[in-house]
Amino acid sequence: MNNQIMSNIKVSPVGFIVIFLLVGALVLYFERTWSDSGNNESEAVKRGQTISLRDILSASIELAERGGEQVKEVMKEKKLNEQSKGKTKEGVNNPVTDGDMRSHEAIMHGFQVTFPETLLVVSEEHEEKDWDRSKVKPADLKRPDVNEVIQKDERVPIEDVTIWIDPLDATKEYTEELLHYVTVMVCVAVNGKPTIGVIHKPFAKEDEGDSSMSWAWVGKGHSTNLNTPVKKATAETDPKIIVSRSHAGSVKEVAQQSFGKDTEVIPAGGAGFKTLALFQGKADAYIHTTLIKKWDICAGNALLHEFSGTMTTLKGDIINYDGHGSPDHNPKNEGGLLATLWDAEIYRGKLAAVLNEGHHR
């Protein structure tokens, strides 16, 4: 009887379709569940990875030198292929050259090959073309000049690190062949704090005592050429103020209203050059009154911090260099800049009195 009942049961074509769809849905559900589980596990492993800051320092120095070689080579070839990225707020042309781009590629590709882990590296320049990883040599992570100074390493979570690159600082001056202003900079920020700074001067005349490489790891050590100069002035007695060539007039006005009409104001190109001028005793403070990008200032900020100096906004706010959590990595510092090895509070107070009155433009 049961066999007879079973033989009389028929499944319609519609029933077959429904069963097929149900089975397919179950398969997709379980595949997605397993896939998500695997991705979550992979992400957890990524979050758990740490990286050596001493290794990053060694790589940063070598890759800055590689970038500098490209900057020099393009200048030697006399084929800058200059183009404009627009104008700054001061109405000054903001150029980009093959020197910028080839330096960017040397540094960015070097980081990507040296550290296969997912490091966040933010550069002033961008590229879209394909490149051959097999042609890029990993950077040396055991440089003697680093290991002689840095005795103890430190490892930090990868997701805490942001690397800022300025492949060619002072591009405008580069196009004008004012090459002493040109620098290549790499900065390593950890949890938003400038921790390692590298400033390379590819056109330095070392036979005249001009060092090509300056670096520092805050609290750990620095290159032998970096020292605090003899203090010759304070903010109250004729300080020398170094400012940007692109809008020296407005900053000169602010400086002379703040510190006295006889205050010496030194126009110069490149944020890297201006920061190094503080260490060389050529200037007592570096002041910038308009927007400036973080790849311009992060390396110098680290160097100053290693020597208990300061680099803040004009109001004294700490500048955060964490590039995570923002589609464009938040590269803008819109609060102006005050950088000095000493007397920061005095400088800031004198500047505030003028800026609050709205005299600067």
Side-chain angles (χ1 to χ4, degrees):
M1 174 123 184
N2 289 337
N3 291 336
Q4 184 178 1
I5 293 173
M6 292 297 295
S7 65
N8 290 331
I9 295 177
K10 296 181 179 179
V11 180
S12 69
V14 175
F16 274 118
I17 293 172
V18 171
I19 292 171
F20 176 79
L21 291 175
L22 286 173
V23 171
L26 287 171
V27 170
L28 287 174
Y29 170 78
F30 284 114
E31 282 185 351
R32 179 169 294 181
T33 301
W34 293 329
S35 175
D36 289 345
S37 175
N39 289 339
N40 290 338
E41 183 179 353
S42 175
E43 185 65 25
V45 170
K46 175 183 169 184
R47 287 197 301 270
Q49 286 182 330
T50 62
I51 195 162
S52 161
L53 288 181
R54 186 164 57 185
D55 286 355
I56 297 180
L57 170 58
S58 288
S60 297
I61 294 171
E62 179 168 324
L63 296 177
E65 290 175 338
R66 289 188 195 177
E69 287 299 318
Q70 293 301 316
V71 169
K72 288 193 293 184
E73 190 64 28
V74 170
M75 179 55 64
K76 182 179 178 181
E77 294 168 359
K78 298 295 183 183
K79 296 179 181 179
L80 302 190
N81 191 24
E82 179 184 350
Q83 300 179 46
S84 177
K85 294 192 286 187
K87 291 187 176 182
T88 66
K89 285 187 176 181
E90 295 78 35
V92 178
N93 181 46
N94 184 18
V96 61
T97 68
D98 280 358
D100 298 81
M101 295 310 303
R102 281 167 53 174
S103 176
H104 160 83
E105 291 166 4
I107 301 171
M108 180 66 78
H109 297 171
F111 271 116
Q112 291 170 333
V113 168
T114 306
F115 301 102
E117 304 91 341
T118 309
L119 274 171
L120 175 58
V121 184
V122 184
S123 174
E124 178 177 5
E125 309 305 340
H126 305 279
E127 61 176 316
E128 296 180 357
K129 64 181 183 182
D130 294 331
W131 56 283
D132 187 350
R133 297 178 71 93
S134 67
K135 294 183 178 180
V136 180
K137 181 181 177 181
D140 181 6
L141 303 183
K142 307 298 179 185
R143 289 177 62 102
D145 54 341
V146 170
N147 292 339
E148 288 171 6
V149 175
I150 307 299
Q151 303 298 321
K152 188 176 180 181
D153 196 6
E154 180 180 345
R155 298 187 69 88
V156 297
I158 288 176
E159 66 268 18
D160 292 347
V161 175
T162 304
I163 298 177
W164 296 90
I165 299 173
D166 193 339
L168 198 170
D169 189 38
T171 300
K172 182 176 184 295
E173 287 71 23
Y174 182 66
T175 65
E176 299 168 358
E177 296 195 28
L178 299 172
L179 303 179
H180 59 289
Y181 289 127
V182 172
T183 62
V184 176
M185 294 188 285
V186 179
C187 181
V188 182
V190 180
N191 290 318
K193 297 179 180 179
T195 302
I196 291 171
V198 174
I199 302 181
H200 174 48
K201 298 176 70 176
F203 299 100
K205 297 179 179 179
E206 299 204 45
D207 58 343
E208 298 179 10
D210 188 14
S211 299
S212 65
M213 179 60 69
S214 301
W215 60 265
W217 179 355
V218 179
K220 298 282 189 179
H222 52 268
S223 54
T224 56
N225 62 302
L226 279 180
N227 294 286
T228 305
V230 176
K231 186 177 180 181
K232 298 178 181 178
T234 70
E236 298 175 315
T237 57
D238 301 323
K240 295 180 180 180
I241 309 297
I242 195 164
V243 302
S244 171
R245 289 177 69 239
S246 64
H247 63 294
S250 62
V251 187
K252 181 176 181 179
E253 179 186 349
V254 170
Q256 292 183 335
Q257 288 178 354
S258 300
F259 307 108
K261 64 179 182 179
D262 295 325
T263 299
E264 182 177 357
V265 177
I266 306 165
F273 177 91
K274 291 192 277 288
T275 300
L276 291 178
L278 302 178
F279 288 94
Q280 296 162 349
K282 296 178 180 178
D284 301 299
Y286 163 26
I287 295 173
H288 191 88
T289 57
T290 57
L291 181 148
I292 193 166
K293 299 295 181 62
K294 293 178 182 178
W295 44 67
D296 290 311
I297 58 177
C298 184
N301 201 337
L303 265 60
L304 287 167
H305 278 187
E306 163 66 3
F307 287 83
S308 300
T310 61
M311 181 181 281
T312 65
T313 67
L314 292 173
K315 292 182 179 179
D317 296 330
I318 301 298
I319 301 168
N320 188 316
Y321 296 93
D322 186 0
H324 297 270
S326 171
D328 66 350
H329 309 301
N330 191 26
K332 298 178 181 179
N333 172 55
E334 301 184 277
L337 197 73
L338 170 61
T340 182
L341 283 162
W342 41 59
D343 296 332
E345 289 300 326
I346 299 175
Y347 283 105
R348 194 173 296 117
K350 287 181 172 288
L351 284 165
V354 171
L355 295 174
N356 290 339
E357 291 173 9
H359 290 299
H360 89 295
R361 59 181 185 274

